[in-house]
Amino acid sequence: MIDRAYREGEKLGLAVWAEDEAGPYQTKPRAGTSWQPMGQPARQPHEYVREGTAKLMTLFHPATGEVRVKGVPGTPNKVLHPWLQQEIEEVLKGFPAVSGLPTESGKWLQWQQGLNGCIT
């Protein structure tokens, strides 16, 4: 059903976006070249304080490759829902005005054809 949405949804005028959260990622310095003496391991300075983890929220539009992202310390609903609502409102601003529900419901009915076997 998801694959069909990606392939055929745009043809029917249905916008298909996917949301995901990635992570957690450690918020610490990454390995790289350093200047410590040969045979001595690299060490963090005594002022270093570990900052925990971070997550990445993404909203992806497969038809165009557009992606909207935001890095956050965590993704509980109180963080995810307001961000998602704001991003979807921005996406909807780019759509033409809808003149009536019958056309849109017709597209939805056309989309549902053949899905009866998938939905239980």
Side-chain angles (χ1 to χ4, degrees):
M1 183 160 77
I2 294 171
D3 182 54
R4 181 173 177 218
Y6 289 146
R7 286 184 285 112
E8 301 174 18
E10 296 292 325
K11 294 176 192 172
L12 296 173
L14 301 172
V16 178
W17 287 77
E19 186 276 330
D20 197 11
E21 301 97 42
Y25 300 108
Q26 293 293 320
T27 56
K28 64 180 182 177
R30 298 289 178 209
T33 59
S34 62
W35 294 97
Q36 76 269 10
M38 188 67 108
Q40 297 288 321
R43 295 183 175 93
Q44 297 293 340
H46 71 279
E47 300 93 359
Y48 171 73
V49 177
R50 184 172 178 207
E51 297 295 330
T53 60
K55 294 190 91 173
L56 185 67
M57 299 186 298
T58 60
L59 188 61
F60 177 63
H61 189 225
T64 63
E66 179 182 354
V67 65
R68 295 164 178 257
V69 299
K70 181 176 182 178
V72 292
T75 55
N77 288 345
K78 67 181 182 180
V79 172
L80 176 63
H81 292 178
W83 174 79
L84 197 53
Q85 182 176 358
Q86 175 188 355
E87 292 300 323
I88 289 174
E89 286 174 0
E90 287 295 316
V91 167
L92 291 175
K93 288 179 184 177
F95 283 82
V98 177
S99 59
L101 186 59
T103 303
E104 295 303 312
S105 67
K107 289 178 184 177
W108 177 244
L109 292 173
Q110 185 179 357
W111 166 250
Q112 288 179 330
Q113 289 178 355
L115 294 181
N116 291 338
C118 299
I119 302 172
T120 56

